[in-house]
Amino acid sequence: MTTTGEALISLLEAHGVDTVFGIPGVHTIELYRGLARSKIRHVTPRHEQGAGFMADGYARVSGKPGVAFVITGPGLTNTITAMAQARADSIPMLVISGVNKRDSLGKGLGFLHELPDQRGMMEKVALSSERIDEPAALAGAMARAFALLSSGRPGPVHIEIPTDVMGLPAGDVTFAPVRDRPATPDSAGIARAAKLAAAAKSPVILAGGGAKRAEAALHRLAELLDAPVVTTANARGLLHGHPLGVHASPSLKSVRALMAQADFIIAAGTEFGPTDYDMYADGGFAAPANLVRIDIDATQLARWPAAVAIEADASTAIEALLAVLPTGKKSGGAARAVAARDAAWQEIGPAMQDQVKVIETIRDALPGAIIVGDSTQPVYAGNLFYDHDRPGGWFNAATGFGALGYGPPAAVGAALADPSAPVVCLSGDGGFQFTFPEMGAALDAGAAVIFVVWNNRGYREIETSMLDAGVEPVGVSPAPPDFCRIADAYHMPAERLMSTESLPAALARARSLGKSCLIEIMVA
């Protein structure tokens, strides 16, 4: 007899899932019945929030949905923060949870882990939430979940299974394959965009996270139009080292000036979110004229007016545009790009320039690395100005939802998704204290993560903001522990640096170990 829990594992395998992140509990035991016999790897975090962040990091690097198993009640509420981060950054994540038995739901009887309306709560965060009230509903719910995760604008999806359904006979479970049918760009919209592009004398391209897998097409488009390409934080790595690349935030005045001087802009895969376009909340960003927007989500397209709105995957739309554009022309793109880059570098100032140089040191010491950031000073600086050498290899939680503690678990997920790449978690001492127990999960899973802790002994970015606002700083100096001794307690190699001058050698030593280790940088 195949139970519903066993059928779930079979369906996950059929949908291409090879890794799940979760902490088993009495409310999910039946979901684990078939897991040990499957080809799916189970990774145990130290907290359910870590399960969600690991699934997030895994999804960003692998391009496949990250999957988390959590118990009902507190397990699921602990995962909500990670789901909200995934929702903000359009990351495909499937969260499968238990829920109490069917005849108890909504009655307030005081069962263990009981919530008044668990699925109602999840519907506020997830793209969808379904309950499996009978075994026959499982296959259809899974098919719908993976359809949402693989088409349109992705995000977190939730499925809950009551404890009294998990062990029921599943009967014949038919796998329904997901047929990904990406939207075909409207030919009339492509023609209008091409006409505007052909007439432009100073075009600019804006690339967001939705374009991070469209580098080849974006590269050709930029050169055809001779257009500078401004990349948001989640698009860093596109056009690395290219003369037309402007790896600087559109929140900077210098980059806004480049956009204001353009007579035509193509925006691909960017939602124009304030954490990218108005980070300082000064209201200085305005929607450009002659704007062509490319986005996979019609709802997103409706939020910003555009001369032409094209609903399609970024790569598909750009390829369609390339097919009808005339031969290339010159518009002084390289000169405009270098002027914007130089002005942006000066605008961020010496302190942030020094922090960007730290990130560049990591990049140059570990070519092709995946740098997973938390909300810490060098990450903020890098989001303002930094040119990574791998598309999709720079991501963090300092934009969008902004969940502190994201870095360590997300880096574990990233390392498991691509074991061949160097993976660096760049975290501050404050944020690292949120989730540093996930070092243990990295060791358990054999994930090689270099944990780099920027130790300035507190929440310095918040302290600076309080001082700038004329508020006496309070609560911004949580005492950090001895991180090297904590690493030693996990039997993890660690070293402390008193300056960044010795960072390249430390990174080389860390990479040569082939396993997780910690580097603490003491900041004066």
Side-chain angles (χ1 to χ4, degrees):
M1 179 194 76
T2 299
T3 67
T4 302
E6 290 172 312
L8 171 69
I9 302 302
S10 297
L11 286 169
L12 286 172
E13 283 187 312
H15 281 287
V17 174
D18 57 23
T19 306
V20 298
F21 305 91
I23 301 176
V26 294
H27 284 66
T28 53
I29 286 175
E30 283 297 332
L31 299 185
Y32 281 76
R33 183 174 293 279
L35 193 56
R37 299 190 303 273
S38 76
K39 297 177 182 178
I40 297 174
R41 179 181 194 176
H42 183 273
V43 177
T44 307
R46 299 308 189 256
H47 190 283
E48 288 93 356
Q49 186 182 92
F53 286 148
M54 287 179 191
D56 177 302
Y58 175 91
R60 293 191 198 227
V61 173
S62 70
K64 302 191 300 183
V67 180
F69 274 13
V70 297
I71 64 167
T72 183
L76 190 57
T77 56
N78 283 343
T79 314
I80 284 180
T81 296
M83 294 176 72
Q85 184 71 47
R87 181 71 180 257
D89 286 350
S90 305
I91 306 303
M93 177 190 297
L94 175 59
V95 176
I96 299 172
S97 78
V99 71
N100 286 312
K101 61 181 185 175
R102 290 167 291 179
D103 63 3
S104 73
L105 298 177
K107 296 182 179 179
L109 300 175
F111 278 87
L112 181 66
H113 302 330
E114 184 177 2
L115 284 166
D117 182 3
Q118 179 173 285
R119 192 159 66 93
M121 175 184 68
M122 297 313 299
E123 287 175 337
K124 304 298 184 184
V125 179
L127 296 178
S128 77
S129 177
E130 287 199 49
R131 179 181 304 138
I132 309 302
D133 283 322
E134 56 182 5
L138 178 63
M142 291 287 284
R144 287 187 291 275
F146 278 91
L148 277 173
L149 293 166
S150 62
S151 62
R153 186 183 187 192
V157 173
H158 171 240
I159 291 176
E160 65 181 19
I161 307 177
T163 54
D164 59 331
V165 174
M166 295 177 186
L168 292 179
D172 293 329
V173 176
T174 303
F175 167 63
V178 176
R179 293 180 174 83
D180 186 10
R181 297 187 179 91
T184 302
D186 173 55
S187 58
I190 292 292
R192 291 196 302 273
K195 185 177 180 180
L196 289 172
K201 295 181 179 179
S202 55
V204 167
I205 298 171
L206 307 178
K212 67 183 179 183
R213 301 188 190 277
E215 183 178 40
L218 188 67
H219 190 286
R220 287 163 52 209
L221 180 65
E223 293 187 344
L224 186 67
L225 297 179
D226 195 23
V229 180
V230 177
T231 52
T232 66
N234 281 329
R236 295 294 166 76
L238 292 170
L239 272 73
H240 169 65
H242 196 285
L244 293 171
V246 181
H247 38 267
S249 171
S251 290
L252 295 172
K253 294 177 181 178
S254 48
V255 180
R256 287 177 174 178
L258 172 71
M259 294 161 56
Q261 292 159 10
D263 61 353
F264 171 70
I265 290 182
I266 295 178
T270 178
E271 66 177 359
F272 290 112
T275 53
D276 279 316
Y277 289 85
D278 195 16
M279 179 180 171
Y280 299 107
D282 59 10
F285 172 72
N290 279 348
L291 171 66
V292 172
R293 287 199 67 193
I294 299 170
D295 202 284
I296 203 167
D297 183 15
T299 303
Q300 185 57 247
L301 286 171
R303 290 174 181 153
W304 276 92
V308 182
I310 300 171
E311 182 187 353
D313 169 75
S315 182
T316 304
I318 294 172
E319 290 287 0
L321 190 56
L322 285 166
V324 297
L325 277 171
T327 55
K329 58 181 180 179
K330 297 298 181 183
S331 61
R336 290 186 290 135
V338 73
R341 288 196 304 268
D342 290 348
W345 179 250
Q346 295 304 316
E347 186 178 342
I348 66 173
M352 284 194 174
Q353 288 173 3
D354 288 344
Q355 291 159 17
V356 171
K357 289 174 184 176
V358 172
I359 306 169
E360 291 175 339
T361 296
I362 297 172
R363 177 198 65 198
D364 296 343
L366 303 171
I370 298 166
I371 302 180
V372 185
D374 216 301
S375 295
T376 190
Q377 287 179 320
V379 171
Y380 285 124
N383 284 347
L384 284 177
F385 189 104
Y386 171 61
D387 186 16
H388 197 54
D389 64 353
R390 170 181 175 148
W394 167 268
F395 57 88
N396 55 75
T399 63
F401 193 62
L404 201 57
Y406 169 87
V412 174
L416 293 174
D418 186 356
S420 67
V423 175
V424 175
C425 167
L426 181 55
S427 181
D429 60 293
F432 196 59
Q433 291 183 73
F434 275 48
T435 52
F436 71 70
E438 302 304 354
M439 290 192 295
L443 293 171
D444 287 349
V449 178
I450 302 173
F451 296 95
V452 177
V453 182
W454 182 261
N455 189 349
N456 56 21
R457 294 167 294 283
Y459 302 130
R460 291 292 159 251
E461 202 70 17
I462 304 303
E463 180 179 8
T464 299
S465 297
M466 294 176 88
L467 289 169
D468 288 346
V471 175
E472 184 176 353
V474 175
V476 293
S477 300
D482 187 325
F483 292 114
C484 288
R485 292 181 67 180
I486 289 175
D488 183 61
Y490 280 110
H491 307 290
M492 180 181 290
E495 59 178 302
R496 180 176 292 116
L497 309 182
M498 302 313 294
S499 74
T500 57
E501 292 178 2
S502 51
L503 181 57
L507 289 168
R509 288 190 294 271
R511 179 60 172 160
S512 69
L513 293 171
K515 61 181 180 180
S516 287
C517 58
L518 181 141
I519 299 172
E520 181 182 18
I521 302 172
M522 304 304 295
V523 182

